[in-house]
Amino acid sequence: MPPPRSQRREPSCVSVIIPVRNGMPYLIEQMKALAAQDYQGGWEVVISDNGSTDGLREFIDGPAIPDGLHVVYVDSSAVPGASHARNAGAEAARGDFLAFVDSDDRVRPHWLSSMAAAAEAADLVSGSLDTEALNSPEVRMWRPIPLPEDGWPVPGWYPTAIGANMGVWRDVHDRIGGFDETFVHTAEDNDYVWRAQLAGYVLVHSPEALLDYRLRNTYRSLWKQIYIYGRGAAQIHSRYRKMGFTQYNRPLLFPLVVTSLALRNPLLPQAVTRMNTGRWIYHVAHEAGKIRGGITHRMLCL
């Protein structure tokens, strides 16, 4: 049974876990942001190297690490994917609270203190994203991101969190078995926090645990990312549909979606379609990924 949340307290040590695969030079920027945290408690940074070939180990061992950071290096190259990298990082971490971020984003100065404060009344914490600082106005229009105060609701289901900004008590991570490493591409964060909530643990959202989030800034990279997200949505649907989860599968609406995207394609003037090319690619890639994922998991996901 989950422990009463009244037993939670300020973490004795927070382990900030960063899964990395060829994340340079963005990781340098993230490490500088971590060094500027205002958190007064004990904490460390765990770099989980998932097969980098861009000089990551030399960076960790060299003099460029910002002063004041205690950094632990973990080789997680044996199994590809963020799930395994996060699990390997958690295994090596000494903290009783685990905070997960990605290498290509940038935490705000109050991020860690806000995450730790929210942890005192929660089993898991979802953080917030801001896309303004690291992305052009055009790129920000391509992909919708919830406002910090909105959290990550899923209509008719449990709220979720994003792996690029979430925290969990170590005992919760251990009891649910960590991240499911069959989720290689994406959606491992949804599965993780939903399994925890189904087990009776409580997810709390912190608008103040904020980081600057880097979006894909080319059509090709946007397509690749969102197509993979679509495949992950199908895998999530395959696992949770028997429990009543239907958010990612609406076959009766699919003909309307296809018709709408066909009529709003970028070959037509944007004044007519009211949709920029990046947002169109976002929607088409997600639907294509869901179809491909449905084929992989042998079920309908439209």
PDB file of all heavy atoms in Angstrom, residues 12-28:
ATOM      1  N   SER A  12      15.839  14.502   1.656  1.00  0.00           N
ATOM      2  CA  SER A  12      17.174  14.631   2.244  1.00  0.00           C
ATOM      3  C   SER A  12      18.224  14.835   1.159  1.00  0.00           C
ATOM      4  O   SER A  12      19.263  15.458   1.388  1.00  0.00           O
ATOM      5  CB  SER A  12      17.509  13.394   3.073  1.00  0.00           C
ATOM      6  OG  SER A  12      17.496  12.223   2.265  1.00  0.00           O
ATOM      7  N   CYS A  13      17.925  14.290  -0.042  1.00  0.00           N
ATOM      8  CA  CYS A  13      18.811  14.490  -1.184  1.00  0.00           C
ATOM      9  C   CYS A  13      17.997  14.309  -2.457  1.00  0.00           C
ATOM     10  O   CYS A  13      17.240  13.346  -2.573  1.00  0.00           O
ATOM     11  CB  CYS A  13      19.973  13.490  -1.161  1.00  0.00           C
ATOM     12  SG  CYS A  13      21.086  13.612  -2.589  1.00  0.00           S
ATOM     13  N   VAL A  14      18.147  15.232  -3.389  1.00  0.00           N
ATOM     14  CA  VAL A  14      17.479  15.135  -4.686  1.00  0.00           C
ATOM     15  C   VAL A  14      18.515  14.732  -5.733  1.00  0.00           C
ATOM     16  O   VAL A  14      19.594  15.320  -5.810  1.00  0.00           O
ATOM     17  CB  VAL A  14      16.829  16.472  -5.096  1.00  0.00           C
ATOM     18  CG1 VAL A  14      16.170  16.337  -6.467  1.00  0.00           C
ATOM     19  CG2 VAL A  14      15.816  16.918  -4.058  1.00  0.00           C
ATOM     20  N   SER A  15      18.176  13.726  -6.531  1.00  0.00           N
ATOM     21  CA  SER A  15      19.016  13.331  -7.659  1.00  0.00           C
ATOM     22  C   SER A  15      18.361  13.807  -8.941  1.00  0.00           C
ATOM     23  O   SER A  15      17.256  13.382  -9.279  1.00  0.00           O
ATOM     24  CB  SER A  15      19.188  11.809  -7.697  1.00  0.00           C
ATOM     25  OG  SER A  15      19.914  11.342  -6.583  1.00  0.00           O
ATOM     26  N   VAL A  16      19.020  14.719  -9.632  1.00  0.00           N
ATOM     27  CA  VAL A  16      18.546  15.212 -10.926  1.00  0.00           C
ATOM     28  C   VAL A  16      19.130  14.294 -11.997  1.00  0.00           C
ATOM     29  O   VAL A  16      20.351  14.263 -12.196  1.00  0.00           O
ATOM     30  CB  VAL A  16      18.973  16.666 -11.163  1.00  0.00           C
ATOM     31  CG1 VAL A  16      18.500  17.138 -12.541  1.00  0.00           C
ATOM     32  CG2 VAL A  16      18.424  17.568 -10.062  1.00  0.00           C
ATOM     33  N   ILE A  17      18.271  13.562 -12.673  1.00  0.00           N
ATOM     34  CA  ILE A  17      18.703  12.530 -13.620  1.00  0.00           C
ATOM     35  C   ILE A  17      18.479  13.027 -15.045  1.00  0.00           C
ATOM     36  O   ILE A  17      17.366  13.434 -15.400  1.00  0.00           O
ATOM     37  CB  ILE A  17      17.959  11.216 -13.368  1.00  0.00           C
ATOM     38  CG1 ILE A  17      18.271  10.718 -11.953  1.00  0.00           C
ATOM     39  CG2 ILE A  17      18.323  10.168 -14.416  1.00  0.00           C
ATOM     40  CD1 ILE A  17      17.435   9.532 -11.517  1.00  0.00           C
ATOM     41  N   ILE A  18      19.530  12.991 -15.852  1.00  0.00           N
ATOM     42  CA  ILE A  18      19.474  13.471 -17.232  1.00  0.00           C
ATOM     43  C   ILE A  18      19.877  12.351 -18.177  1.00  0.00           C
ATOM     44  O   ILE A  18      21.052  11.981 -18.232  1.00  0.00           O
ATOM     45  CB  ILE A  18      20.407  14.674 -17.450  1.00  0.00           C
ATOM     46  CG1 ILE A  18      20.182  15.751 -16.381  1.00  0.00           C
ATOM     47  CG2 ILE A  18      20.201  15.253 -18.844  1.00  0.00           C
ATOM     48  CD1 ILE A  18      21.120  16.946 -16.515  1.00  0.00           C
ATOM     49  N   PRO A  19      18.925  11.768 -18.926  1.00  0.00           N
ATOM     50  CA  PRO A  19      19.304  10.800 -19.958  1.00  0.00           C
ATOM     51  C   PRO A  19      19.880  11.538 -21.158  1.00  0.00           C
ATOM     52  O   PRO A  19      19.315  12.529 -21.615  1.00  0.00           O
ATOM     53  CB  PRO A  19      17.977  10.121 -20.297  1.00  0.00           C
ATOM     54  CG  PRO A  19      16.941  11.166 -20.019  1.00  0.00           C
ATOM     55  CD  PRO A  19      17.470  11.998 -18.876  1.00  0.00           C
ATOM     56  N   VAL A  20      21.004  11.064 -21.664  1.00  0.00           N
ATOM     57  CA  VAL A  20      21.679  11.789 -22.740  1.00  0.00           C
ATOM     58  C   VAL A  20      22.147  10.812 -23.815  1.00  0.00           C
ATOM     59  O   VAL A  20      22.735   9.780 -23.506  1.00  0.00           O
ATOM     60  CB  VAL A  20      22.907  12.572 -22.222  1.00  0.00           C
ATOM     61  CG1 VAL A  20      23.506  13.410 -23.351  1.00  0.00           C
ATOM     62  CG2 VAL A  20      22.551  13.449 -21.037  1.00  0.00           C
ATOM     63  N   ARG A  21      21.880  11.179 -25.053  1.00  0.00           N
ATOM     64  CA  ARG A  21      22.499  10.513 -26.197  1.00  0.00           C
ATOM     65  C   ARG A  21      22.850  11.593 -27.207  1.00  0.00           C
ATOM     66  O   ARG A  21      21.965  12.189 -27.832  1.00  0.00           O
ATOM     67  CB  ARG A  21      21.567   9.468 -26.824  1.00  0.00           C
ATOM     68  CG  ARG A  21      22.183   8.771 -28.050  1.00  0.00           C
ATOM     69  CD  ARG A  21      21.239   7.742 -28.627  1.00  0.00           C
ATOM     70  NE  ARG A  21      21.740   7.207 -29.881  1.00  0.00           N
ATOM     71  CZ  ARG A  21      22.604   6.194 -29.995  1.00  0.00           C
ATOM     72  NH1 ARG A  21      23.053   5.598 -28.904  1.00  0.00           N
ATOM     73  NH2 ARG A  21      23.000   5.783 -31.180  1.00  0.00           N
ATOM     74  N   ASN A  22      24.125  11.873 -27.321  1.00  0.00           N
ATOM     75  CA  ASN A  22      24.614  12.927 -28.223  1.00  0.00           C
ATOM     76  C   ASN A  22      23.889  14.249 -27.965  1.00  0.00           C
ATOM     77  O   ASN A  22      23.300  14.839 -28.871  1.00  0.00           O
ATOM     78  CB  ASN A  22      24.470  12.489 -29.682  1.00  0.00           C
ATOM     79  CG  ASN A  22      25.382  11.314 -30.023  1.00  0.00           C
ATOM     80  OD1 ASN A  22      26.440  11.150 -29.411  1.00  0.00           O
ATOM     81  ND2 ASN A  22      24.983  10.499 -30.985  1.00  0.00           N
ATOM     82  N   GLY A  23      23.955  14.696 -26.726  1.00  0.00           N
ATOM     83  CA  GLY A  23      23.241  15.906 -26.328  1.00  0.00           C
ATOM     84  C   GLY A  23      24.072  17.169 -26.313  1.00  0.00           C
ATOM     85  O   GLY A  23      23.574  18.240 -25.947  1.00  0.00           O
ATOM     86  N   MET A  24      25.337  17.079 -26.686  1.00  0.00           N
ATOM     87  CA  MET A  24      26.182  18.268 -26.717  1.00  0.00           C
ATOM     88  C   MET A  24      25.826  19.114 -27.952  1.00  0.00           C
ATOM     89  O   MET A  24      25.470  18.553 -28.983  1.00  0.00           O
ATOM     90  CB  MET A  24      27.653  17.866 -26.769  1.00  0.00           C
ATOM     91  CG  MET A  24      28.054  16.892 -25.662  1.00  0.00           C
ATOM     92  SD  MET A  24      28.067  17.628 -24.027  1.00  0.00           S
ATOM     93  CE  MET A  24      29.593  18.535 -24.100  1.00  0.00           C
ATOM     94  N   PRO A  25      25.912  20.432 -27.914  1.00  0.00           N
ATOM     95  CA  PRO A  25      26.377  21.264 -26.792  1.00  0.00           C
ATOM     96  C   PRO A  25      25.256  21.756 -25.877  1.00  0.00           C
ATOM     97  O   PRO A  25      25.524  22.514 -24.944  1.00  0.00           O
ATOM     98  CB  PRO A  25      27.029  22.443 -27.516  1.00  0.00           C
ATOM     99  CG  PRO A  25      26.162  22.632 -28.726  1.00  0.00           C
ATOM    100  CD  PRO A  25      25.750  21.235 -29.151  1.00  0.00           C
ATOM    101  N   TYR A  26      24.004  21.319 -26.162  1.00  0.00           N
ATOM    102  CA  TYR A  26      22.898  21.801 -25.334  1.00  0.00           C
ATOM    103  C   TYR A  26      23.076  21.424 -23.871  1.00  0.00           C
ATOM    104  O   TYR A  26      22.656  22.156 -22.965  1.00  0.00           O
ATOM    105  CB  TYR A  26      21.567  21.248 -25.841  1.00  0.00           C
ATOM    106  CG  TYR A  26      21.130  21.796 -27.172  1.00  0.00           C
ATOM    107  CD1 TYR A  26      20.543  20.971 -28.128  1.00  0.00           C
ATOM    108  CD2 TYR A  26      21.293  23.138 -27.486  1.00  0.00           C
ATOM    109  CE1 TYR A  26      20.135  21.470 -29.359  1.00  0.00           C
ATOM    110  CE2 TYR A  26      20.890  23.650 -28.705  1.00  0.00           C
ATOM    111  CZ  TYR A  26      20.305  22.802 -29.637  1.00  0.00           C
ATOM    112  OH  TYR A  26      19.902  23.301 -30.854  1.00  0.00           O
ATOM    113  N   LEU A  27      23.693  20.265 -23.617  1.00  0.00           N
ATOM    114  CA  LEU A  27      23.886  19.830 -22.241  1.00  0.00           C
ATOM    115  C   LEU A  27      24.696  20.843 -21.445  1.00  0.00           C
ATOM    116  O   LEU A  27      24.440  21.040 -20.252  1.00  0.00           O
ATOM    117  CB  LEU A  27      24.570  18.465 -22.210  1.00  0.00           C
ATOM    118  CG  LEU A  27      24.892  17.904 -20.823  1.00  0.00           C
ATOM    119  CD1 LEU A  27      23.613  17.687 -20.024  1.00  0.00           C
ATOM    120  CD2 LEU A  27      25.688  16.603 -20.924  1.00  0.00           C
ATOM    121  N   ILE A  28      25.664  21.484 -22.081  1.00  0.00           N
ATOM    122  CA  ILE A  28      26.467  22.488 -21.385  1.00  0.00           C
ATOM    123  C   ILE A  28      25.571  23.609 -20.868  1.00  0.00           C
ATOM    124  O   ILE A  28      25.704  24.071 -19.722  1.00  0.00           O
ATOM    125  CB  ILE A  28      27.559  23.040 -22.325  1.00  0.00           C
ATOM    126  CG1 ILE A  28      28.516  21.924 -22.739  1.00  0.00           C
ATOM    127  CG2 ILE A  28      28.313  24.180 -21.651  1.00  0.00           C
ATOM    128  CD1 ILE A  28      29.545  22.363 -23.771  1.00  0.00           C
TER     129      ILE A  28
END
